[in-house]
Amino acid sequence: MTFIAERKTYDAIVVGSGITGGYAAKELTEKGLETLVLEAGRPTSPEQDYVEHVQPWELRFRGLRNRGRQSRDQPIQKNCYACDEWSSKFFVNDHENPYTFDEDEPFHWIRGRHVGGRSIMWARQTYRWSDLDFEANAKDGVGVDWPIRYEEIAPWYDYVETFVGISGQAENLAQLPDGKFLPAMELNCAERHVRDSLKGKFADARMLTIGRCAVLTEEHNGRAPCHYCGPCRRGCITRSYFSSLNATLPVARATGRLTLRPYSVVHSVIYDEGSDRATGIRVIDAETHESFEVYGRVIFLCASAMESARILLNSKTARFSEGLANSSGELGRNLMDHVMGGGAEGTLPGHEDETDNGRRPNGLYVPRFRNVKSRTPGFLRGYGFQGSGFRERWQNGLEAPGFGADFKHALRSYGPWKLRFYGFGECLPSRGRYIEIDPELKDKWGVPALRVHMTWGENERALLRDAAKTAAEMLEASGATEIETFVEDNAPGLTIHEMGTARMGRDPKTSVLNAHNQSHDVPNLFVTDGACMTSSSCVNPSITYMALTARACDYAVKQMDLGHL
Ligand SMILES: Cc1cc2nc3c(=O)[nH]c(=O)nc-3n(C[C@H](O)[C@H](O)[C@H](O)COP(=O)(O)OP(=O)(O)OC[C@H]3O[C@@H](n4cnc5c(N)ncnc54)[C@H](O)[C@@H]3O)c2cc1C
Ligand code: SF4
């Protein structure tokens, strides 16, 4: 491939415009840097792309999905609940973006390739990590130690939450620190019933609170509060939930220092051995397939955990024959995702004169209680539960009994209150779970594709089994009947929290990045997406990626001002 050189040198180049790329663009432009954002996918705009208010009867398949097209073009993406008839356009074409895995090691890599990345479809659950997480590797002797502790990231959580807008309830829990919360959304009567029933019943202090989420409950930074229409994964024209498109990119654009280039597939990073610096990026235009180079003083990789590692693995040089910034040999290693799907559902007595109002875009949360205050035998780390209380009704309409008037009546009547706990557990870092460049396969633009090696270990499976048991115990303690437990067998990747492929650490011999997301090997190269994670915690990770991104931008600009970069 021949790459044509572009003359201009930017202060900063950011790869990717999703949750972390959008945040980096905001921070770097606000701090005065002329910033180029390279985004592989198409441009998007709220006015043209958001479809949250499109009704099922306006769709060809009435919301039941175009199953033929999905089986053909999105055989992996269709496994994601959010890739429905409305939102499938926000998910990649699996044939254009291929990767491989061994038959007995399926990995479901769920991706978006467009301006905004997965920030458009994410479920917006946002929980801080605590020192229970940052100290876990060192205490358990698993992986390597995090190079930071909670007190170092806490001000950056404050900083990003103040911009993003997080609704939530302060609970004063050591394992799940409170944030800068907007007013919390309300629990419904079934959830309040279970919350009250749990109080004082369990020695491990199980409790239930409302989910903490990046959805506004009041006007915030010029964005309107949520009007509870429900299907956020299709966009939000009132910009009430946080996404790059709704929040960070407009701020970056307003500085006048942002150049956002869609259709820019990054092939690799250019490294200059003489100066020991990354000097730019090799790019392929997604529409014309022309190749060109762009130059910058600092490079931020924010293309998502596996894509950023792929870019570095594809950036081989004489010094870095196994991939740029990979003197440790850890690049691509320690791939993690949360294990999900252990839990239980039950029917709750009473409250039949109550219903809920609107479609709350949020659920309940049960913070981790295993291995918190005392050691739980059988596994390391823990899990938290998401879920909700709900009344069976219209959603199950097609299965309602009766015919004609009876059927219509059945559609309009409510079933009993139910409540479902759905567990998300921590995944341990391990060198044996990794990505590498497939020796043959290339994507539509000729960029070498990934081969993924990941299966769940016994610790992750034990967490799910335990989650089913403890969920049932909590339902029982709340007087629920017809309790059904479940332990799902989801492929890794499907939780869509993949991380760890360029981990942070104290020692350059065993980690790729230092405490500031800066490459140990190449000082002006930063990776601030999920690739940087040293362990996985059990909570949703994106707010931590954002806090680390903002912190890394601050550090990089200070280093530039000092003349070190
Ligand atoms: C349905 C769903 C629900 C989720 N729910 C939650 C949740 O509740 N809480 C939570 O914390 N997380 C959630 N997530 C995960 C969350 O979306 C990701 O953690 C987050 O988006 C990661 O941010 P990122 O910037 O690393 O990657 P992304 O947001 O995926 O953005 C990466 C961007 O980089 C671009 N890119 C990739 N490769 C290249 C290349 N070679 N050249 C140029 N550009 C490139 C992509 O096109 C994309 O725009 C969810 C995800 C999905 C899909
Ligand atoms: S439920 Fe709220 S956040 Fe979600 S799309 Fe509707 S208005 Fe936006």
Side-chain angles (χ1 to χ4, degrees), residues 129-138 144-157 504-507 513-517 532-535 544-545 547-549 551-552:
W129 287 34
S130 69
D131 273 337
L132 186 68
D133 305 304
F134 289 112
E135 290 173 359
N137 280 1
V144 295
D145 188 17
W146 274 90
I148 57 169
R149 290 293 181 262
Y150 180 68
E151 66 171 7
E152 284 156 285
I153 194 174
W156 295 100
Y157 278 129
M504 292 163 79
R506 298 172 192 275
D507 184 353
L513 306 171
N514 69 14
H516 295 282
N517 295 72
C532 74
M533 303 300 271
T534 314
S535 68
T544 300
Y545 302 168
L548 288 170
T549 299
R551 183 171 171 271

mmCIF file of all heavy atoms in Angstrom, residues 129-138 144-157 504-507 513-517 532-535 544-545 547-549 551-552:
data_model
loop_
_atom_site.group_PDB
_atom_site.id
_atom_site.type_symbol
_atom_site.label_atom_id
_atom_site.label_comp_id
_atom_site.label_asym_id
_atom_site.label_seq_id
_atom_site.Cartn_x
_atom_site.Cartn_y
_atom_site.Cartn_z
ATOM 1 N N TRP A 129 -15.455 2.814 40.041
ATOM 2 C CA TRP A 129 -14.674 1.761 40.677
ATOM 3 C C TRP A 129 -14.238 2.253 42.056
ATOM 4 O O TRP A 129 -14.280 3.446 42.332
ATOM 5 C CB TRP A 129 -13.424 1.475 39.849
ATOM 6 C CG TRP A 129 -13.653 0.744 38.579
ATOM 7 C CD1 TRP A 129 -14.734 0.837 37.751
ATOM 8 C CD2 TRP A 129 -12.773 -0.196 37.978
ATOM 9 N NE1 TRP A 129 -14.561 0.012 36.666
ATOM 10 C CE2 TRP A 129 -13.373 -0.624 36.784
ATOM 11 C CE3 TRP A 129 -11.535 -0.706 38.334
ATOM 12 C CZ2 TRP A 129 -12.776 -1.550 35.943
ATOM 13 C CZ3 TRP A 129 -10.934 -1.628 37.492
ATOM 14 C CH2 TRP A 129 -11.549 -2.045 36.315
ATOM 15 N N SER A 130 -13.770 1.305 42.865
ATOM 16 C CA SER A 130 -13.262 1.664 44.188
ATOM 17 C C SER A 130 -11.906 0.981 44.373
ATOM 18 O O SER A 130 -11.450 0.235 43.499
ATOM 19 C CB SER A 130 -14.226 1.167 45.261
ATOM 20 O OG SER A 130 -14.173 -0.247 45.298
ATOM 21 N N ASP A 131 -11.328 1.174 45.553
ATOM 22 C CA ASP A 131 -10.046 0.498 45.802
ATOM 23 C C ASP A 131 -10.205 -1.012 45.919
ATOM 24 O O ASP A 131 -9.223 -1.748 45.803
ATOM 25 C CB ASP A 131 -9.342 1.095 47.024
ATOM 26 C CG ASP A 131 -8.491 2.285 46.604
ATOM 27 O OD1 ASP A 131 -8.115 2.344 45.417
ATOM 28 O OD2 ASP A 131 -8.215 3.159 47.446
ATOM 29 N N LEU A 132 -11.424 -1.472 46.163
ATOM 30 C CA LEU A 132 -11.647 -2.921 46.104
ATOM 31 C C LEU A 132 -11.199 -3.431 44.728
ATOM 32 O O LEU A 132 -10.651 -4.532 44.605
ATOM 33 C CB LEU A 132 -13.138 -3.209 46.306
ATOM 34 C CG LEU A 132 -13.562 -4.665 46.412
ATOM 35 C CD1 LEU A 132 -13.037 -5.276 47.708
ATOM 36 C CD2 LEU A 132 -15.091 -4.777 46.382
ATOM 37 N N ASP A 133 -11.429 -2.625 43.695
ATOM 38 C CA ASP A 133 -11.047 -2.997 42.332
ATOM 39 C C ASP A 133 -9.575 -2.689 42.046
ATOM 40 O O ASP A 133 -8.846 -3.525 41.520
ATOM 41 C CB ASP A 133 -11.917 -2.240 41.327
ATOM 42 C CG ASP A 133 -13.393 -2.472 41.583
ATOM 43 O OD1 ASP A 133 -13.791 -3.634 41.596
ATOM 44 O OD2 ASP A 133 -14.138 -1.488 41.790
ATOM 45 N N PHE A 134 -9.143 -1.482 42.402
ATOM 46 C CA PHE A 134 -7.769 -1.093 42.047
ATOM 47 C C PHE A 134 -6.721 -1.906 42.814
ATOM 48 O O PHE A 134 -5.594 -2.053 42.362
ATOM 49 C CB PHE A 134 -7.564 0.410 42.266
ATOM 50 C CG PHE A 134 -8.316 1.254 41.253
ATOM 51 C CD1 PHE A 134 -9.393 2.034 41.630
ATOM 52 C CD2 PHE A 134 -7.956 1.243 39.912
ATOM 53 C CE1 PHE A 134 -10.094 2.793 40.699
ATOM 54 C CE2 PHE A 134 -8.649 1.992 38.970
ATOM 55 C CZ PHE A 134 -9.730 2.767 39.362
ATOM 56 N N GLU A 135 -7.093 -2.439 43.979
ATOM 57 C CA GLU A 135 -6.121 -3.220 44.764
ATOM 58 C C GLU A 135 -6.242 -4.724 44.523
ATOM 59 O O GLU A 135 -5.432 -5.509 45.027
ATOM 60 C CB GLU A 135 -6.329 -2.937 46.264
ATOM 61 C CG GLU A 135 -5.900 -1.529 46.640
ATOM 62 C CD GLU A 135 -6.258 -1.175 48.083
ATOM 63 O OE1 GLU A 135 -6.852 -2.025 48.781
ATOM 64 O OE2 GLU A 135 -5.946 -0.054 48.495
ATOM 65 N N ALA A 136 -7.259 -5.126 43.784
ATOM 66 C CA ALA A 136 -7.596 -6.555 43.710
ATOM 67 C C ALA A 136 -6.461 -7.414 43.128
ATOM 68 O O ALA A 136 -6.121 -8.465 43.692
ATOM 69 C CB ALA A 136 -8.864 -6.741 42.878
ATOM 70 N N ASN A 137 -5.871 -6.979 42.027
ATOM 71 C CA ASN A 137 -4.819 -7.803 41.421
ATOM 72 C C ASN A 137 -3.655 -8.013 42.384
ATOM 73 O O ASN A 137 -3.131 -9.126 42.521
ATOM 74 C CB ASN A 137 -4.290 -7.153 40.136
ATOM 75 C CG ASN A 137 -5.205 -7.415 38.954
ATOM 76 O OD1 ASN A 137 -6.240 -8.067 39.090
ATOM 77 N ND2 ASN A 137 -4.826 -6.904 37.787
ATOM 78 N N ALA A 138 -3.239 -6.922 43.041
ATOM 79 C CA ALA A 138 -2.104 -7.030 43.960
ATOM 80 C C ALA A 138 -2.445 -7.968 45.112
ATOM 81 O O ALA A 138 -1.633 -8.815 45.505
ATOM 82 C CB ALA A 138 -1.738 -5.642 44.492
ATOM 83 N N VAL A 144 -1.199 -8.001 36.927
ATOM 84 C CA VAL A 144 -0.243 -7.069 37.553
ATOM 85 C C VAL A 144 -1.030 -6.013 38.319
ATOM 86 O O VAL A 144 -2.227 -5.840 38.114
ATOM 87 C CB VAL A 144 0.656 -6.373 36.490
ATOM 88 C CG1 VAL A 144 1.539 -7.384 35.790
ATOM 89 C CG2 VAL A 144 -0.172 -5.573 35.483
ATOM 90 N N ASP A 145 -0.322 -5.292 39.184
ATOM 91 C CA ASP A 145 -0.978 -4.275 40.000
ATOM 92 C C ASP A 145 -1.339 -3.060 39.145
ATOM 93 O O ASP A 145 -0.584 -2.665 38.247
ATOM 94 C CB ASP A 145 -0.015 -3.857 41.128
ATOM 95 C CG ASP A 145 -0.687 -2.944 42.149
ATOM 96 O OD1 ASP A 145 -1.938 -2.896 42.172
ATOM 97 O OD2 ASP A 145 0.050 -2.293 42.914
ATOM 98 N N TRP A 146 -2.489 -2.459 39.437
ATOM 99 C CA TRP A 146 -2.825 -1.157 38.838
ATOM 100 C C TRP A 146 -1.784 -0.132 39.283
ATOM 101 O O TRP A 146 -1.392 -0.135 40.464
ATOM 102 C CB TRP A 146 -4.195 -0.700 39.335
ATOM 103 C CG TRP A 146 -5.349 -1.225 38.540
ATOM 104 C CD1 TRP A 146 -6.031 -2.369 38.750
ATOM 105 C CD2 TRP A 146 -5.954 -0.591 37.409
ATOM 106 N NE1 TRP A 146 -7.031 -2.501 37.826
ATOM 107 C CE2 TRP A 146 -7.007 -1.418 36.982
ATOM 108 C CE3 TRP A 146 -5.713 0.599 36.711
ATOM 109 C CZ2 TRP A 146 -7.824 -1.107 35.892
ATOM 110 C CZ3 TRP A 146 -6.527 0.909 35.626
ATOM 111 C CH2 TRP A 146 -7.560 0.062 35.233
ATOM 112 N N PRO A 147 -1.397 0.786 38.386
ATOM 113 C CA PRO A 147 -0.442 1.821 38.812
ATOM 114 C C PRO A 147 -1.131 3.001 39.476
ATOM 115 O O PRO A 147 -0.477 3.991 39.799
ATOM 116 C CB PRO A 147 0.209 2.238 37.489
ATOM 117 C CG PRO A 147 -0.840 1.988 36.460
ATOM 118 C CD PRO A 147 -1.679 0.837 36.940
ATOM 119 N N ILE A 148 -2.451 2.943 39.637
ATOM 120 C CA ILE A 148 -3.172 4.029 40.318
ATOM 121 C C ILE A 148 -4.105 3.451 41.374
ATOM 122 O O ILE A 148 -4.415 2.253 41.349
ATOM 123 C CB ILE A 148 -4.012 4.885 39.334
ATOM 124 C CG1 ILE A 148 -5.004 4.011 38.558
ATOM 125 C CG2 ILE A 148 -3.128 5.680 38.398
ATOM 126 C CD1 ILE A 148 -6.040 4.799 37.777
ATOM 127 N N ARG A 149 -4.553 4.320 42.270
ATOM 128 C CA ARG A 149 -5.556 3.967 43.261
ATOM 129 C C ARG A 149 -6.729 4.937 43.131
ATOM 130 O O ARG A 149 -6.659 5.922 42.420
ATOM 131 C CB ARG A 149 -4.959 4.049 44.676
ATOM 132 C CG ARG A 149 -3.943 2.933 44.947
ATOM 133 C CD ARG A 149 -4.599 1.561 44.992
ATOM 134 N NE ARG A 149 -3.655 0.477 45.269
ATOM 135 C CZ ARG A 149 -3.089 -0.308 44.365
ATOM 136 N NH1 ARG A 149 -3.316 -0.098 43.070
ATOM 137 N NH2 ARG A 149 -2.288 -1.290 44.713
ATOM 138 N N TYR A 150 -7.800 4.636 43.876
ATOM 139 C CA TYR A 150 -9.025 5.424 43.733
ATOM 140 C C TYR A 150 -8.787 6.916 43.928
ATOM 141 O O TYR A 150 -9.331 7.743 43.189
ATOM 142 C CB TYR A 150 -10.100 4.911 44.710
ATOM 143 C CG TYR A 150 -11.379 5.696 44.599
ATOM 144 C CD1 TYR A 150 -12.161 5.613 43.447
ATOM 145 C CD2 TYR A 150 -11.797 6.549 45.623
ATOM 146 C CE1 TYR A 150 -13.329 6.355 43.321
ATOM 147 C CE2 TYR A 150 -12.958 7.293 45.506
ATOM 148 C CZ TYR A 150 -13.721 7.192 44.354
ATOM 149 O OH TYR A 150 -14.867 7.929 44.223
ATOM 150 N N GLU A 151 -7.965 7.278 44.906
ATOM 151 C CA GLU A 151 -7.822 8.720 45.189
ATOM 152 C C GLU A 151 -7.219 9.465 43.994
ATOM 153 O O GLU A 151 -7.431 10.666 43.843
ATOM 154 C CB GLU A 151 -6.994 8.960 46.457
ATOM 155 C CG GLU A 151 -5.569 8.533 46.347
ATOM 156 C CD GLU A 151 -4.735 8.994 47.552
ATOM 157 O OE1 GLU A 151 -5.321 9.523 48.507
ATOM 158 O OE2 GLU A 151 -3.517 8.810 47.520
ATOM 159 N N GLU A 152 -6.500 8.761 43.127
ATOM 160 C CA GLU A 152 -5.935 9.440 41.968
ATOM 161 C C GLU A 152 -6.966 9.659 40.851
ATOM 162 O O GLU A 152 -6.851 10.593 40.069
ATOM 163 C CB GLU A 152 -4.744 8.639 41.419
ATOM 164 C CG GLU A 152 -3.515 8.814 42.283
ATOM 165 C CD GLU A 152 -2.540 7.667 42.149
ATOM 166 O OE1 GLU A 152 -2.816 6.591 42.696
ATOM 167 O OE2 GLU A 152 -1.517 7.854 41.472
ATOM 168 N N ILE A 153 -7.940 8.794 40.791
ATOM 169 C CA ILE A 153 -8.930 8.939 39.721
ATOM 170 C C ILE A 153 -10.200 9.648 40.204
ATOM 171 O O ILE A 153 -10.964 10.197 39.393
ATOM 172 C CB ILE A 153 -9.247 7.566 39.071
ATOM 173 C CG1 ILE A 153 -10.004 7.761 37.754
ATOM 174 C CG2 ILE A 153 -9.972 6.636 39.985
ATOM 175 C CD1 ILE A 153 -10.255 6.509 36.958
ATOM 176 N N ALA A 154 -10.408 9.693 41.532
ATOM 177 C CA ALA A 154 -11.657 10.269 42.064
ATOM 178 C C ALA A 154 -11.929 11.688 41.540
ATOM 179 O O ALA A 154 -13.051 11.977 41.098
ATOM 180 C CB ALA A 154 -11.637 10.246 43.593
ATOM 181 N N PRO A 155 -10.920 12.594 41.530
ATOM 182 C CA PRO A 155 -11.228 13.945 41.018
ATOM 183 C C PRO A 155 -11.629 13.928 39.546
ATOM 184 O O PRO A 155 -12.369 14.794 39.097
ATOM 185 C CB PRO A 155 -9.913 14.714 41.198
ATOM 186 C CG PRO A 155 -8.987 13.839 41.937
ATOM 187 C CD PRO A 155 -9.551 12.466 42.020
ATOM 188 N N TRP A 156 -11.131 12.931 38.820
ATOM 189 C CA TRP A 156 -11.469 12.852 37.394
ATOM 190 C C TRP A 156 -12.843 12.252 37.181
ATOM 191 O O TRP A 156 -13.543 12.583 36.209
ATOM 192 C CB TRP A 156 -10.377 12.089 36.622
ATOM 193 C CG TRP A 156 -9.116 12.879 36.672
ATOM 194 C CD1 TRP A 156 -8.047 12.695 37.482
ATOM 195 C CD2 TRP A 156 -8.851 14.077 35.921
ATOM 196 N NE1 TRP A 156 -7.119 13.688 37.285
ATOM 197 C CE2 TRP A 156 -7.587 14.546 36.330
ATOM 198 C CE3 TRP A 156 -9.548 14.797 34.958
ATOM 199 C CZ2 TRP A 156 -7.017 15.696 35.788
ATOM 200 C CZ3 TRP A 156 -8.986 15.939 34.417
ATOM 201 C CH2 TRP A 156 -7.730 16.382 34.835
ATOM 202 N N TYR A 157 -13.276 11.370 38.085
ATOM 203 C CA TYR A 157 -14.692 10.961 38.055
ATOM 204 C C TYR A 157 -15.565 12.197 38.300
ATOM 205 O O TYR A 157 -16.559 12.428 37.596
ATOM 206 C CB TYR A 157 -14.982 9.932 39.145
ATOM 207 C CG TYR A 157 -14.624 8.489 38.843
ATOM 208 C CD1 TYR A 157 -13.863 7.746 39.740
ATOM 209 C CD2 TYR A 157 -15.114 7.840 37.707
ATOM 210 C CE1 TYR A 157 -13.567 6.408 39.508
ATOM 211 C CE2 TYR A 157 -14.827 6.496 37.469
ATOM 212 C CZ TYR A 157 -14.057 5.792 38.373
ATOM 213 O OH TYR A 157 -13.776 4.468 38.143
ATOM 214 N N MET A 504 -2.349 -1.026 31.622
ATOM 215 C CA MET A 504 -1.534 -0.114 32.414
ATOM 216 C C MET A 504 -0.799 -0.929 33.480
ATOM 217 O O MET A 504 -1.305 -1.971 33.915
ATOM 218 C CB MET A 504 -2.419 0.928 33.108
ATOM 219 C CG MET A 504 -3.089 1.909 32.166
ATOM 220 S SD MET A 504 -4.464 2.787 32.940
ATOM 221 C CE MET A 504 -3.622 4.030 33.907
ATOM 222 N N GLY A 505 0.340 -0.433 33.908
ATOM 223 C CA GLY A 505 1.073 -1.126 34.957
ATOM 224 C C GLY A 505 2.274 -0.302 35.387
ATOM 225 O O GLY A 505 2.614 0.710 34.770
ATOM 226 N N ARG A 506 2.889 -0.752 36.450
ATOM 227 C CA ARG A 506 4.042 -0.011 36.986
ATOM 228 C C ARG A 506 5.334 -0.375 36.256
ATOM 229 O O ARG A 506 6.247 0.422 36.173
ATOM 230 C CB ARG A 506 4.220 -0.341 38.469
ATOM 231 C CG ARG A 506 3.023 0.079 39.313
ATOM 232 C CD ARG A 506 3.133 -0.440 40.738
ATOM 233 N NE ARG A 506 1.868 -0.268 41.442
ATOM 234 C CZ ARG A 506 1.493 0.841 42.053
ATOM 235 N NH1 ARG A 506 2.289 1.883 42.080
ATOM 236 N NH2 ARG A 506 0.326 0.921 42.652
ATOM 237 N N ASP A 507 5.401 -1.594 35.728
ATOM 238 C CA ASP A 507 6.657 -2.112 35.184
ATOM 239 C C ASP A 507 6.585 -2.230 33.659
ATOM 240 O O ASP A 507 5.755 -2.972 33.128
ATOM 241 C CB ASP A 507 6.891 -3.502 35.816
ATOM 242 C CG ASP A 507 8.215 -4.103 35.399
ATOM 243 O OD1 ASP A 507 8.893 -3.522 34.519
ATOM 244 O OD2 ASP A 507 8.569 -5.178 35.944
ATOM 245 N N LEU A 513 1.242 0.355 29.123
ATOM 246 C CA LEU A 513 1.015 1.778 29.433
ATOM 247 C C LEU A 513 1.385 2.080 30.878
ATOM 248 O O LEU A 513 1.256 1.210 31.747
ATOM 249 C CB LEU A 513 -0.465 2.123 29.233
ATOM 250 C CG LEU A 513 -1.063 1.791 27.873
ATOM 251 C CD1 LEU A 513 -2.580 1.987 27.900
ATOM 252 C CD2 LEU A 513 -0.440 2.649 26.776
ATOM 253 N N ASN A 514 1.772 3.336 31.130
ATOM 254 C CA ASN A 514 2.073 3.722 32.512
ATOM 255 C C ASN A 514 0.821 4.278 33.211
ATOM 256 O O ASN A 514 -0.293 4.158 32.685
ATOM 257 C CB ASN A 514 3.252 4.709 32.544
ATOM 258 C CG ASN A 514 2.871 6.065 31.939
ATOM 259 O OD1 ASN A 514 1.689 6.357 31.739
ATOM 260 N ND2 ASN A 514 3.870 6.879 31.642
ATOM 261 N N ALA A 515 1.005 4.912 34.325
ATOM 262 C CA ALA A 515 -0.133 5.384 35.126
ATOM 263 C C ALA A 515 -0.922 6.500 34.453
ATOM 264 O O ALA A 515 -1.993 6.879 34.921
ATOM 265 C CB ALA A 515 0.373 5.867 36.484
ATOM 266 N N HIS A 516 -0.405 7.053 33.368
ATOM 267 C CA HIS A 516 -1.099 8.136 32.658
ATOM 268 C C HIS A 516 -1.573 7.700 31.278
ATOM 269 O O HIS A 516 -1.760 8.547 30.401
ATOM 270 C CB HIS A 516 -0.172 9.359 32.545
ATOM 271 C CG HIS A 516 0.157 9.946 33.883
ATOM 272 N ND1 HIS A 516 -0.717 10.746 34.583
ATOM 273 C CD2 HIS A 516 1.249 9.797 34.681
ATOM 274 C CE1 HIS A 516 -0.186 11.088 35.737
ATOM 275 N NE2 HIS A 516 1.012 10.522 35.823
ATOM 276 N N ASN A 517 -1.721 6.403 31.067
ATOM 277 C CA ASN A 517 -2.157 5.866 29.764
ATOM 278 C C ASN A 517 -1.149 6.160 28.651
ATOM 279 O O ASN A 517 -1.489 6.134 27.469
ATOM 280 C CB ASN A 517 -3.532 6.421 29.348
ATOM 281 C CG ASN A 517 -4.637 5.983 30.272
ATOM 282 O OD1 ASN A 517 -4.710 6.448 31.401
ATOM 283 N ND2 ASN A 517 -5.477 5.079 29.822
ATOM 284 N N CYS A 532 -6.659 -0.151 28.032
ATOM 285 C CA CYS A 532 -5.725 0.200 29.116
ATOM 286 C C CYS A 532 -6.010 -0.531 30.427
ATOM 287 O O CYS A 532 -5.200 -0.474 31.344
ATOM 288 C CB CYS A 532 -5.783 1.701 29.363
ATOM 289 S SG CYS A 532 -7.284 2.245 30.211
ATOM 290 N N MET A 533 -7.123 -1.248 30.521
ATOM 291 C CA MET A 533 -7.575 -1.730 31.828
ATOM 292 C C MET A 533 -6.742 -2.916 32.339
ATOM 293 O O MET A 533 -6.499 -3.882 31.620
ATOM 294 C CB MET A 533 -9.044 -2.115 31.760
ATOM 295 C CG MET A 533 -9.944 -0.984 31.285
ATOM 296 S SD MET A 533 -9.926 0.481 32.315
ATOM 297 C CE MET A 533 -11.218 0.047 33.454
ATOM 298 N N THR A 534 -6.371 -2.841 33.597
ATOM 299 C CA THR A 534 -5.497 -3.838 34.205
ATOM 300 C C THR A 534 -6.292 -4.966 34.853
ATOM 301 O O THR A 534 -5.800 -6.075 35.023
ATOM 302 C CB THR A 534 -4.596 -3.135 35.252
ATOM 303 O OG1 THR A 534 -4.082 -1.947 34.654
ATOM 304 C CG2 THR A 534 -3.441 -3.997 35.688
ATOM 305 N N SER A 535 -7.503 -4.651 35.263
ATOM 306 C CA SER A 535 -8.454 -5.679 35.702
ATOM 307 C C SER A 535 -9.826 -5.188 35.267
ATOM 308 O O SER A 535 -9.938 -4.102 34.685
ATOM 309 C CB SER A 535 -8.389 -5.890 37.220
ATOM 310 O OG SER A 535 -8.880 -4.738 37.889
ATOM 311 N N THR A 544 -15.290 4.957 33.675
ATOM 312 C CA THR A 544 -13.879 4.877 34.069
ATOM 313 C C THR A 544 -12.984 5.176 32.859
ATOM 314 O O THR A 544 -11.975 5.878 32.985
ATOM 315 C CB THR A 544 -13.581 3.493 34.673
ATOM 316 O OG1 THR A 544 -14.427 3.315 35.813
ATOM 317 C CG2 THR A 544 -12.133 3.360 35.103
ATOM 318 N N TYR A 545 -13.374 4.680 31.680
ATOM 319 C CA TYR A 545 -12.597 5.039 30.475
ATOM 320 C C TYR A 545 -12.582 6.562 30.289
ATOM 321 O O TYR A 545 -11.564 7.154 29.929
ATOM 322 C CB TYR A 545 -13.207 4.439 29.203
ATOM 323 C CG TYR A 545 -13.382 2.949 29.120
ATOM 324 C CD1 TYR A 545 -14.165 2.403 28.098
ATOM 325 C CD2 TYR A 545 -12.775 2.067 30.004
ATOM 326 C CE1 TYR A 545 -14.344 1.035 27.963
ATOM 327 C CE2 TYR A 545 -12.956 0.702 29.879
ATOM 328 C CZ TYR A 545 -13.751 0.188 28.857
ATOM 329 O OH TYR A 545 -13.939 -1.161 28.723
ATOM 330 N N ALA A 547 -12.990 8.933 32.585
ATOM 331 C CA ALA A 547 -12.181 9.599 33.613
ATOM 332 C C ALA A 547 -10.690 9.443 33.289
ATOM 333 O O ALA A 547 -9.911 10.395 33.399
ATOM 334 C CB ALA A 547 -12.502 9.018 34.987
ATOM 335 N N LEU A 548 -10.299 8.247 32.862
ATOM 336 C CA LEU A 548 -8.883 8.024 32.516
ATOM 337 C C LEU A 548 -8.491 8.849 31.288
ATOM 338 O O LEU A 548 -7.370 9.364 31.203
ATOM 339 C CB LEU A 548 -8.633 6.531 32.254
ATOM 340 C CG LEU A 548 -8.661 5.630 33.503
ATOM 341 C CD1 LEU A 548 -8.642 4.155 33.110
ATOM 342 C CD2 LEU A 548 -7.477 5.944 34.439
ATOM 343 N N THR A 549 -9.411 8.982 30.338
ATOM 344 C CA THR A 549 -9.121 9.775 29.134
ATOM 345 C C THR A 549 -8.889 11.234 29.493
ATOM 346 O O THR A 549 -7.905 11.851 29.062
ATOM 347 C CB THR A 549 -10.292 9.651 28.128
ATOM 348 O OG1 THR A 549 -10.447 8.286 27.756
ATOM 349 C CG2 THR A 549 -10.038 10.476 26.881
ATOM 350 N N ARG A 551 -8.036 12.474 32.310
ATOM 351 C CA ARG A 551 -6.807 12.569 33.113
ATOM 352 C C ARG A 551 -5.569 12.496 32.204
ATOM 353 O O ARG A 551 -4.609 13.258 32.366
ATOM 354 C CB ARG A 551 -6.818 11.423 34.121
ATOM 355 C CG ARG A 551 -5.684 11.385 35.097
ATOM 356 C CD ARG A 551 -5.960 10.327 36.163
ATOM 357 N NE ARG A 551 -4.793 10.116 37.000
ATOM 358 C CZ ARG A 551 -3.839 9.241 36.735
ATOM 359 N NH1 ARG A 551 -3.918 8.483 35.652
ATOM 360 N NH2 ARG A 551 -2.817 9.118 37.552
ATOM 361 N N ALA A 552 -5.600 11.585 31.235
ATOM 362 C CA ALA A 552 -4.455 11.427 30.321
ATOM 363 C C ALA A 552 -4.286 12.668 29.446
ATOM 364 O O ALA A 552 -3.154 13.097 29.172
ATOM 365 C CB ALA A 552 -4.653 10.185 29.452
#
